[in-house]
Amino acid sequence: MSTAAKVEPIRSTSSRRHARRRLVEAWERYLLADRTTRTPPPDLRPEIVTSWERSADSVAMEVARAPLADPADIEATWEATPLRTAVARIESQLRSAAEDGGLVVAVTDPAARIMWTCEGTVMRRRAEGVNFVPGGRWDESSVGTNALDLALRLDTAATVYSAEHFNACVHDWTCWAAPIHDPTTGRQLGVLDLSTTWDRAHPLGASTAAAFAQLLEQALPVRATKKAGSDQLELRLLGPAEARLDGVRLLLTRRQLEILALLALRPDGLTLDAMHAHLYGDRPVSRATLKAEVSHLRTMLGGGIATRRYRITIPVTCDACEVLELLRTGRVREAATGYRGELLAGTEAPGLIEYANYLAVAVREALLARPDPEAVLRYADAVPHDVEVLEYAVRALGAAPRGDAAHNAAALLRARLRTAYDL
């Protein structure tokens, strides 16, 4: 069983002390052994073992604190990184967590250099003592095994408990870190780390760090890749759904995509109460939750959502809107091509369910009124089970001469129909 599996469920103080003592003893045996015969403890997690092995070859045992990077370089890096804006936007939450949880909160660059911290009273002096401060270099080659470096190296949330740290100066610490990514490119921007004393370790530490990292990602400013005001939002809501800003796919939650869909389908905008009703119906979700979701989206769109009455203020295209416009102008074949499936299939938002039903019926009725064989075949790609539309199209074609285009379409329609009967 891994060290992590033994540490996380610990409840009593005596159990915590026992687990820590076993880790310290394992650490001492490892470091005191001859390098040629050194064997890591078998119950350590693999990522800790490999990090200890790398650290033993590059880090001096007598390191008492992390080395400091050039202050001017750190200041310039902090000024330039979009994380500075993101931290400012959720700083009050980070400071509350630090004070209430007895933590030090740190944000790094991609090289594990700390750029920003805030501390509760429990950790302030401890952090200063080991240079867990802006400028502190917490890469593995500088201080050995630690959560900040592991989170960057593994590109996932990491926990390092007590003597799992290679360096003895932080054996009294427990650290949880999670990488922060640019939502549009996936590039690592740094890590968010939460640290406290070993005896204050909590099973939710890793998930809390990951949640704060996600909040920072959502609070990042959208990169200015074009002139101001030229951003283009593209929504695909029919079939596999996605949103793109200037051609770059946005990493959105299902709820965020639903909010954008409602705003795109109602270009005149929605009040907070109307948006809440369209999104949640009678479900007991607070308006504050909705306001927070819209605020995160506004940040991702570079301010592209109006505040008083919610509406998208940047150019936006939406496939569902385009299909409806094609139907209005009688271009049924193009509408059938654009209808790639149900609008946000599986959504529970009342406003979207209503629109999805309206659009599905509109496409279907247009095909029944004008059963263009090519249009019906394209429609059948997205809605293969609609037997009535297929039967109507086959009957409308009649007995077309062999070799005629209509005859070929009829054959395909009959094949589609036989398949639909089996669905």
Side-chain angles (χ1 to χ4, degrees):
M1 185 166 69
S2 72
T3 301
K6 290 183 292 185
V7 169
E8 291 296 313
I10 290 172
R11 293 292 182 267
S12 69
T13 301
S14 60
S15 295
R16 291 174 185 268
R17 287 175 177 163
H18 177 68
R20 181 175 183 271
R21 184 167 58 252
R22 288 184 60 190
L23 276 173
V24 171
E25 290 172 352
W27 177 83
E28 289 174 342
R29 286 195 302 271
Y30 178 80
L31 287 181
L32 292 176
D34 183 85
R35 280 179 177 263
T36 59
T37 59
R38 182 178 286 161
T39 304
D43 56 351
L44 281 184
R45 288 176 286 149
E47 63 268 30
I48 300 296
V49 170
T50 55
S51 180
W52 274 18
E53 291 172 342
R54 291 190 300 266
S55 300
D57 293 331
S58 60
V59 181
M61 290 179 56
E62 60 271 15
V63 172
R65 60 185 62 86
L68 291 171
D70 178 68
D73 188 23
I74 292 297
E75 183 178 0
T77 302
W78 182 235
E79 287 291 328
T81 179
L83 285 176
R84 182 171 179 268
T85 300
V87 167
R89 288 171 173 168
I90 68 166
E91 184 171 352
S92 61
Q93 298 174 60
L94 296 174
R95 291 193 179 278
S96 293
E99 193 60 48
D100 297 343
L103 303 165
V104 54
V105 182
V107 175
T108 79
D109 68 1
R113 300 183 307 174
I114 294 177
M115 297 186 292
W116 180 89
T117 62
C118 64
E119 314 89 5
T121 54
V122 172
M123 294 298 294
R124 184 168 295 118
R125 188 168 297 178
R126 288 183 172 89
E128 293 172 351
V130 296
N131 283 342
F132 202 84
V133 296
R137 289 167 42 196
W138 286 83
D139 56 289
E140 187 181 79
S141 60
S142 294
V143 292
T145 307
N146 68 88
L148 294 81
D149 183 275
L150 275 181
L152 286 168
R153 190 181 297 272
L154 302 176
D155 200 30
T156 190
T159 301
V160 178
Y161 176 77
S162 184
E164 286 183 329
H165 290 94
F166 184 81
N167 200 307
C169 72
V170 282
H171 278 188
D172 286 340
W173 291 45
T174 293
C175 302
W176 306 279
I180 307 164
H181 299 91
D182 183 326
T184 59
T185 66
R187 180 173 61 92
Q188 282 186 349
L189 300 176
V191 297
L192 180 286
D193 177 271
L194 306 176
S195 295
T196 189
T197 54
W198 66 271
D199 54 331
R200 298 170 69 89
H202 193 281
L204 296 179
S207 59
T208 303
F212 273 125
Q214 185 177 31
L215 281 178
L216 285 172
E217 291 175 351
Q218 294 170 343
L220 288 166
V222 176
R223 292 179 302 149
T225 57
K226 294 187 177 182
K227 293 181 180 180
S230 66
D231 292 328
Q232 176 77 35
L233 177 64
E234 178 187 358
L235 295 178
R236 292 188 58 172
L237 308 178
L238 304 174
E242 66 174 12
R244 292 180 176 270
L245 186 65
D246 292 333
V248 179
R249 187 171 184 268
L250 296 175
L251 302 179
L252 301 177
T253 66
R254 177 74 171 188
R255 183 68 69 217
Q256 289 169 337
L257 191 57
E258 288 174 336
I259 291 171
L260 287 181
L262 284 169
L263 293 177
L265 298 174
R266 292 166 176 81
D268 291 336
L270 293 167
T271 64
L272 175 62
D273 287 342
M275 172 67 83
H276 190 278
H278 283 306
L279 192 62
Y280 300 111
D282 296 330
R283 280 173 286 168
V285 180
S286 72
R287 280 158 176 75
T289 297
L290 175 57
K291 291 173 72 174
E293 291 278 21
V294 175
S295 178
H296 293 153
L297 279 171
R298 184 181 295 113
T299 298
M300 297 181 74
L301 299 183
I305 298 178
T307 54
R308 291 185 179 274
R309 184 180 178 88
Y310 294 147
R311 62 183 180 84
I312 298 173
T313 59
I314 60 176
V316 57
T317 61
C318 172
D319 57 354
C321 298
E322 291 169 353
V323 167
L324 198 58
E325 183 59 29
L326 289 168
L327 291 174
R328 286 195 183 103
T329 57
R331 294 186 286 176
V332 177
R333 182 180 294 185
E334 294 173 63
T337 301
Y339 190 75
R340 290 183 292 270
E342 183 182 353
L343 187 148
L344 286 180
T347 183
E348 296 180 354
L352 294 175
I353 292 173
E354 179 184 357
Y355 198 100
N357 291 337
Y358 170 68
L359 185 59
V361 170
V363 172
R364 193 170 185 275
E365 290 297 317
L367 291 171
L368 290 173
R370 189 190 302 175
D372 174 72
E374 186 62 33
V376 172
L377 285 171
R378 294 179 185 181
Y379 170 76
D381 287 338
V383 190
H385 56 271
D386 196 332
V387 171
E388 185 180 3
V389 170
L390 288 166
E391 286 180 336
Y392 198 86
V394 169
R395 286 198 302 269
L397 278 173
R402 185 175 297 275
D404 183 80
H407 172 85
N408 295 334
L412 292 173
L413 285 169
R414 290 189 183 95
R416 276 287 193 184
L417 185 57
R418 284 196 292 271
T419 304
Y421 285 144
D422 296 332
L423 291 178

